[in-house]
Amino acid sequence: MTYVLAIDQGTTSTRAILFDAAMIACASAQDEFTQHFPQSGWVEHDPQDLWETTLSTCREVIKRAGISPEQIASIGITNQRETVVVWDKETGETLHNAIVWQDRRTADTCAELRDAGHEAMITERTGLLLDPYFSSTKLKWILDHVDGARTRARNGELLFGTVDSFLIWKLTGGKVHATDATNAARTMLYDIRKGRWSSTICDLLDIPMQMLPQVKDCAADFGNTLSDLFSSEIPINGVAGDQQAATIGQACFEPGMIKSTYGTGCFVLLNTGGTPVMSQNRLLTTIAYQLEGKPTYALEGSIFVAGAVVQWLRDGMQIIQDASATQALAEQADPQQNVILVPAFVGLGAPYWNPDCRGAAFGLTRATGPAEMAKAALECIGYQTRDLLQAMAADWQVPGVQPTLRVDGGMSANDWAMQFLSDIISAPVDRPSSQETTALGVAWLAGMHAGVYPDQVNFADTWACETQFKPAMDDTLRAEKYEAWGRAVHATLSV
């Protein structure tokens, strides 16, 4: 058994990646699925789509690799975090569409809890801020709005899970209802210090605790797949939320190491070691990973819109036909124009945490065209990353540390965007030789637990840099551009 299968269930697609004994990706398959937007600021998925694309991509990647399922030693699952699924304990039937992490429908609930003085307690226990982003108020919404749901939950008839839990339950035929510490830490129901679900918060939100999954290490026994799914039972041994999996895949195992993933959103994680650091700058304190019962903590900054701004240029504005076109357009842009795009399509995440503001563009002229808009779209990702890094530097003050930023995700392949990122943060940006860092992270967890991959130290030694981008922008220009970004954000928040 020399292969490990990684399931990467994301916001817009599901991927299956097969890694060989040398931890090299040797085959992959991907299926996109429909996004549902029932109202402004609402985002949903059909849970059946998540399950069917998981099943189809896993079967397809095994076929493409030309291997037998018996050759797969273990499965690892990484997933979009915070997204909520509720299903019947016996039948597996879901009560409602999955409410996606981007969804903002519970903004009023969060405001009411904040006004009632509950945020300090919630932050102390969970490391999170009161925001619709997290799972708990989404779960409360389903229990409040689906007829009979809370009664059924109290009677032990319903289960709650983030996407990893739902997939584990389906893969094991309902035998295992579990999650890992990183996904639990994103629900706003989990006490990250005590390592258990918070009865205080569950009582506050009227969430029956029997709905909640068992919380395990990132590398653990999560059961075996049903034999009829892949013609062989395969153990599931690794689980981590997508951003934590990327942190692991980037081998950010030492305090002070930092990675940034550019997918639909952007997520920056700073390893702070075995002690949680509580942010004074509206960042999140979370669990980076948990091995052998010991959590390693991180500061996290979450940007809701990163790659999604390029999707907007393609699908909404129809300025481009393919995401890769943004690099050539940015290179053609008029350097005399300074168009700034604040992509607050679903509000702004860290360090602003404003769910109500919406996107805006500044500096438009009659000469502004597709090239300038593409450039502004790429630049806004760099600006938002600098916002997060500055907040992290203020929270975690270690003398002499000037961390190199390790990057991954689809947009990290854009050389123009990565050079601007290096320029605007005035620090090196390292792009790894492996572009599958998220899948690699969870594959390593699964393979390590199954005994086919090396331990943590030896895994870290395999990390290699493909390209390093070094800052080349003039200091004065850097300051001017970032000040203009600050004014644009302030104006957006003021509307």
Side-chain angles (χ1 to χ4, degrees), residues 1-6 16-19 58-59 61-63 65 67-76 225 230-237 446-447 450 452-453:
M1 297 192 293
T2 55
Y3 294 90
V4 173
L5 175 60
I17 305 94
L18 201 64
F19 290 85
C58 287
R59 289 171 172 167
V61 79
I62 293 170
K63 179 181 176 182
I67 68 166
S68 165
E70 286 79 8
Q71 293 176 265
I72 300 174
S74 186
I75 290 176
T225 65
F230 308 115
S231 76
S232 177
E233 290 190 8
I234 306 172
I236 304 168
N237 294 137
V452 297
Y453 285 168

Side-chain angles (χ1 to χ4, degrees), residues 139-156:
L139 173 55
K140 174 179 168 55
W141 188 94
I142 290 176
L143 295 178
D144 286 342
H145 288 82
V146 176
D147 286 345
R150 184 167 274 106
T151 299
R152 293 180 65 194
R154 288 172 179 158
N155 291 338

Side-chain angles (χ1 to χ4, degrees), residues 2 41 154 185 198 215 252 261 305 316 336 352 382 384 407 418 434 441 451:
T2 55
R154 288 172 179 158
S198 170
V215 181
C252 291
T261 298
V305 174
Q336 300 304 311
Y352 308 105
Q384 292 180 99
V407 297
M418 293 302 99
S434 172

Side-chain angles (χ1 to χ4, degrees), residues 272-445:
T272 61
T275 303
V277 175
M278 303 309 291
S279 176
Q280 304 302 310
N281 293 279
R282 297 184 65 75
L283 298 174
L284 308 176
T285 304
T286 195
I287 295 175
Y289 51 88
Q290 182 171 302
L291 299 172
E292 298 180 349
K294 298 178 181 178
T296 294
Y297 296 94
L299 282 172
E300 176 175 333
S302 307
I303 297 168
F304 297 147
V305 174
V309 74
V310 176
Q311 292 176 324
W312 171 72
L313 290 181
R314 182 192 66 189
D315 302 334
M317 300 298 289
Q318 299 184 353
I319 288 174
I320 57 173
Q321 291 186 331
D322 186 81
S324 61
T326 54
Q327 177 157 334
L329 281 172
E331 292 169 351
Q332 299 165 17
D334 179 0
Q336 300 304 311
Q337 292 193 53
N338 189 27
V339 177
I340 296 178
L341 177 63
V342 182
F345 303 142
V346 289
L348 284 174
Y352 308 105
W353 293 109
N354 187 315
D356 299 318
C357 67
R358 289 296 177 261
F362 299 86
L364 302 178
T365 71
R366 286 286 298 273
T368 299
E372 289 71 33
M373 290 301 293
K375 179 183 176 185
L378 298 182
E379 286 185 337
C380 76
I381 295 157
Y383 291 134
Q384 292 180 99
T385 304
R386 178 167 168 177
D387 287 343
L388 299 182
L389 294 177
Q390 290 191 170
M392 286 179 172
D395 279 333
W396 203 72
Q397 298 176 357
V398 178
V401 173
Q402 178 66 37
T404 296
L405 182 64
R406 292 185 174 183
V407 297
D408 55 77
M411 188 163 285
S412 69
N414 188 307
D415 287 354
W416 194 97
M418 293 302 99
Q419 182 58 55
F420 180 78
L421 174 62
S422 177
D423 286 338
I424 204 66
I425 69 173
S426 189
V429 170
D430 283 358
R431 185 170 62 200
S433 55
S434 172
Q435 296 300 302
E436 296 287 3
T437 52
T438 301
L440 175 61
V442 78
W444 172 73
L445 288 169

Side-chain angles (χ1 to χ4, degrees), residues 199-251:
S199 58
T200 303
I201 300 175
C202 288
D203 289 345
L204 176 66
L205 299 179
D206 197 10
I207 292 172
M209 294 188 71
Q210 59 262 44
M211 297 184 73
L212 308 181
Q214 179 186 2
V215 181
K216 300 190 175 201
D217 287 346
C218 298
D221 178 10
F222 290 90
N224 295 335
T225 65
L226 292 175
S227 59
D228 61 351
L229 295 178
F230 308 115
S231 76
S232 177
E233 290 190 8
I234 306 172
I236 304 168
N237 294 137
V239 177
D242 52 9
Q243 304 312 318
Q244 284 90 343
T247 303
I248 294 165
Q250 289 276 32

Side-chain angles (χ1 to χ4, degrees), residues 2 26 37 50 81-82 92 95 186 384 450 477 484:
T2 55
C26 56
F37 308 101
L50 307 183
R81 305 173 303 170
E82 298 93 17
L95 265 69
R186 310 299 298 186
Q384 292 180 99
L477 177 60

